[in-house]
Amino acid sequence: MEAVTKNFFMFLSKNKLLNTLAQKRGGNFAAGKIISGTDFASSIPIIRALNHQGLATTVDYLGEFVDSEEVANERAEECIQTIKMIHQEKLDSHMSVKMTSLGLDIDHELVIHNMTRILDTAEEYGIIVTIDMEDSPRCQATIDLFKQFKEKYNCVSTVLQAYLYRTEQDLQTLSSYQPFLRLVKGAYKEPADVAYPDKKDVDAHYKKLIEQSFQYGLYIAIASHDDNIIQFTKELAAKLKIPNDQFEFQMLYGMRSKTQLELVKQGYKMRVYVPYGRDWYGYFMRRLAERPANIAFAFKGLTKK
């Protein structure tokens, strides 16, 4: 049943008609529930409220798989302006960005140009920018870009996905860069020859990656709503005497809000992934596909006052 549910929501995430309708009519419905707003200015009060509760954030201007150079440049400019506003408003926030939104599928030099513009601004204002990981065909290109940028910039981080077989080797390769890494389970539909098909195997691999990251001395973000993974991290950190300032937890905006605040009270760094923009539909469907429990969290958020 879990596989059927995942396939269903992944199918919905790629439906262009539903995506178009959601962009035109659904932004106000989703705002304040699963996204912070349709633009960054409208998101600032929500981010500030989260900060006042002790929650850091990372913001994501939604949109991916861009096939227009003009749109890619526009998205880069939006990211630059958002970084400036984060600084101006004194928000405790990072920024996340997908390489396909900046032109990865169009031209290599285009994505280099756009990301360089973003990181120049981020370095100036001391704002971390995380290169989000996308589906497996783009994994190597994303890692190569991260390594290239990391040689020049301190403010860049990236993401590794536990459901991919290759990730343990990727972690070992990247460890020499001493990166800030976000560890996730993975949200894209992948074939069994590149990704673990069973949740128990993904979870086991995730735990192994957490332990190896601690052993490499990396600062990591455990991005999970899974109580089992969260508890494992707490116990492992205590066992290995890893201080709380050597890792953080991350969760999605609108999901498990009480748990997020509980982690803050327990003395852990908690960062909320806060998406904004009109292109929210595909993001939302992948979150529902990721884990059946997210369906309950999401619809509770959508219906609350």
Side-chain angles (χ1 to χ4, degrees), residues 99-100 104-105 108 111-112 131-149 158 166 170:
M99 294 297 90
T100 60
L104 179 63
D105 292 349
H108 182 72
V111 73
I112 292 288
I131 298 175
D132 273 341
M133 192 58 69
E134 301 179 69
D135 56 359
S136 61
R138 297 169 176 85
C139 181
Q140 188 60 52
T142 302
I143 288 175
D144 290 343
L145 286 168
F146 168 74
K147 290 193 291 187
Q148 179 177 342
F149 290 125
T158 194
R166 60 172 290 167
D170 288 334

Side-chain angles (χ1 to χ4, degrees), residues 30 33 39 42 53 65 72 95 110 135 151 183 187-188 203 252:
K33 300 179 176 70
D39 57 26
S42 63
Q53 295 179 86
F65 306 128
M95 180 154 204
L110 176 63
D135 56 359
E151 290 177 356
L183 301 180
Y188 294 86
D203 288 354
L252 302 174

